[in-house]
Amino acid sequence: MAQSIRLVLIIACLQGFIYIVHSKCDGKCVPLAECKSNDFGGENFFDLRAGIDDEVEVDCDHYLEVCCDIEDVVTTSRPIDPVSAAPREPPPSGGPPTIENCGKRNGHGAGFRIKNAQNEAEFGEFPWMVAISSGNGFDDSDSKYICGGSLIRGDVVLTAAHCVVNRTTEKLTVRAGEWDTKTTNEILPYQDLLVTKIVVHENYNPVFHFNNIALLYLEREFDADEHVQLICLPPQGKQFDGQNCVATGWGKDNFYSENYQVILKKVELPVWTKEKCQADLRKTRLGPRFALHNSFTCAGGEEGKDTCTGDGGSPLVCEDVDQPNKYYQAGIVAWGVGCGQAGVPGVYTKNSLYTNWIQQQLEVRNSDNLNSDKLNSDNPNYDY
């Protein structure tokens, strides 16, 4: 019995020592949003690698927490289910946040910045980026991450057809405002909405993935915020050849990796001409007779820089050369031959071929909504 007590005391002392080494906070470690003090060093920088190196002392064990004086700790109303979140205080300008002009990238993040990043995006840097899952949201044990996507309207997501073809809308969930999938310590909450309809391009080829594009209609619009905004659709037929663009996603680091990324990744990729892409893909196992379909565009081809498994449906975006910090979606992650090999680009659905198709589908949706509203208003049994 005495030995057991001594063992418990030793373990407790060791745990206390570990805590002292890794956390020297003399107040309470809380998420940034739960501390009234603004004295955290200007733009609230967080070190992604803090606490990983035993030689580095940190105030708090979790990289997204700050050491806050006890009297400055505040209770937030962030719920477990962000869908039912109570509205936050309106911004100083008055009124709730709204959808701003599409394609605005938050290059310095939203609310805080990160240090020592290794291809990680800033929080809220790409506010149109969404994640698609099956099941009751991402936090349910039966849920499964499926693909990435992009927000093109408050209630419409653009993704790849191969991600959703042959799926039903039952429990299909879209999450906007996500960044680190393993924590809820970000300063602004994510939002989950259910999918009510899947629209796959009528000419999608499930064997060769031609016309690999689809729309997801949501139960309602996402609440606009700094980290939840829209990407711009390019003019029909617009070319991005030769531009350096950016792809984002939670996909794997490489073809052989076992796990998806925890924090949203970004990778800068040059867009190739069709001729160059086809020529280099013919040098792979696809063979010398391979013909690249007109519905595809290519980007990448640099060693270790590529989208990969799990990035399907995610956007490739390019800055407008005439309007700084306005981004168009140039492509949708479609397929590749391995990942991150020198001279082998990734293949993307060429988004500018489908702008007119997307607009037509949105017009049909608007018409359906108007007819549905009229039908409900004419029905005396409709419950408002």
Side-chain angles (χ1 to χ4, degrees):
M1 181 67 176
Q3 289 181 336
S4 298
I5 293 174
R6 282 197 297 270
L7 181 60
V8 170
L9 290 174
I10 291 172
I11 293 173
C13 289
L14 286 173
Q15 288 176 335
F17 175 74
I18 293 171
Y19 180 80
I20 290 171
V21 169
H22 286 284
S23 179
K24 56 181 182 180
C25 179
D26 55 2
K28 182 179 180 181
C29 288
V30 297
L32 180 63
E34 295 183 15
C35 189
K36 289 188 293 186
S37 175
N38 292 318
D39 186 22
F40 297 113
E43 296 185 70
N44 302 319
F45 279 89
F46 287 91
D47 190 339
L48 286 180
R49 305 310 184 243
I52 296 177
D53 187 346
D54 288 338
E55 300 298 321
V56 178
E57 286 190 288
V58 292
D59 286 339
C60 299
D61 288 338
H62 194 283
Y63 73 94
L64 278 181
E65 290 186 341
V66 294
C67 183
C68 187
D69 292 336
I70 297 298
E71 61 270 19
D72 286 335
V73 175
V74 296
T75 302
T76 63
S77 59
R78 179 170 184 159
I80 295 176
D81 178 11
V83 172
S84 60
R88 293 190 303 277
E89 289 297 318
S93 58
T98 59
I99 294 291
E100 300 177 359
N101 294 331
C102 64
K104 181 183 176 183
R105 177 180 177 181
N106 296 318
H108 296 297
F112 65 87
R113 298 196 65 183
I114 54 176
K115 296 189 295 184
N116 294 326
Q118 298 175 1
N119 295 324
E120 288 94 352
E122 296 282 353
F123 172 68
E125 183 175 357
F126 304 93
W128 48 79
M129 183 71 203
V130 302
I132 303 166
S133 76
S134 62
N136 295 313
F138 288 69
D139 305 315
D140 184 69
S141 58
D142 295 328
S143 296
K144 182 180 179 182
Y145 171 75
I146 298 173
C147 274
S150 55
L151 199 60
I152 61 170
R153 202 172 81 173
D155 58 351
V156 180
V157 166
L158 179 64
T159 189
H162 79 258
C163 294
V164 293
V165 69
N166 298 327
R167 290 186 180 273
T168 66
T169 59
E170 183 180 8
K171 295 183 180 179
L172 196 62
T173 304
V174 172
R175 173 170 290 182
E178 180 61 284
W179 181 64
D180 184 334
T181 60
K182 297 299 183 181
T183 185
T184 58
N185 283 350
E186 296 100 330
I187 195 169
L188 298 172
Y190 56 72
Q191 303 172 41
D192 286 345
L193 289 179
L194 295 175
V195 175
T196 58
K197 186 176 181 179
I198 301 170
V199 180
V200 174
H201 195 281
E202 58 274 12
N203 294 325
Y204 170 61
N205 185 313
V207 177
F208 298 106
H209 302 299
F210 306 153
N211 305 303
N212 193 356
I213 188 171
L215 300 175
L216 304 181
Y217 297 159
L218 309 178
E219 56 185 317
R220 63 173 177 83
E221 291 190 358
F222 280 110
D223 296 328
D225 213 323
E226 189 176 2
H227 67 319
V228 180
Q229 295 287 327
L230 310 182
I231 185 60
C232 299
L233 295 176
Q236 180 74 18
K238 184 175 177 63
Q239 297 292 329
F240 297 95
D241 295 351
Q243 280 191 239
N244 285 320
C245 301
V246 185
T248 50
W250 287 278
K252 296 180 178 180
D253 258 346
N254 58 71
F255 191 73
Y256 302 101
S257 179
E258 295 184 1
N259 300 315
Y260 293 129
Q261 299 298 316
V262 172
I263 296 176
L264 181 66
K265 296 282 185 174
K266 63 179 177 183
V267 56
E268 294 187 3
L269 304 168
V271 177
W272 292 24
T273 64
K274 179 185 176 183
E275 293 74 21
K276 177 173 172 54
C277 179
Q278 180 174 274
D280 281 62
L281 288 176
R282 284 179 173 178
K283 299 174 185 177
T284 70
R285 57 181 170 80
L286 297 175
R289 299 177 63 184
F290 171 76
L292 185 68
H293 194 262
N294 288 334
S295 64
F296 296 126
T297 189
C298 300
E302 298 180 23
E303 184 74 29
K305 296 179 66 176
D306 202 357
T307 50
C308 201
T309 305
D311 286 321
S314 298
L316 172 73
V317 300
C318 303
E319 189 172 23
D320 188 337
V321 294
D322 298 318
Q323 301 182 67
N325 203 33
K326 179 177 182 178
Y327 284 80
Y328 290 112
Q329 182 162 345
I332 304 169
V333 178
W335 57 273
V337 181
C339 304
Q341 300 178 61
V344 182
V347 182
Y348 299 75
T349 302
K350 191 172 183 177
N351 217 60
S352 65
L353 291 183
Y354 301 96
T355 300
N356 289 346
W357 177 83
I358 292 171
Q359 297 293 359
Q360 290 169 2
Q361 302 308 312
L362 296 182
E363 289 173 6
V364 171
R365 175 169 169 77
N366 290 339
S367 177
D368 290 344
N369 288 343
L370 287 175
N371 292 335
S372 177
D373 290 343
K374 185 178 187 304
L375 178 65
N376 290 330
S377 65
D378 291 342
N379 183 354
N381 297 318
Y382 181 70
D383 183 7
Y384 290 93

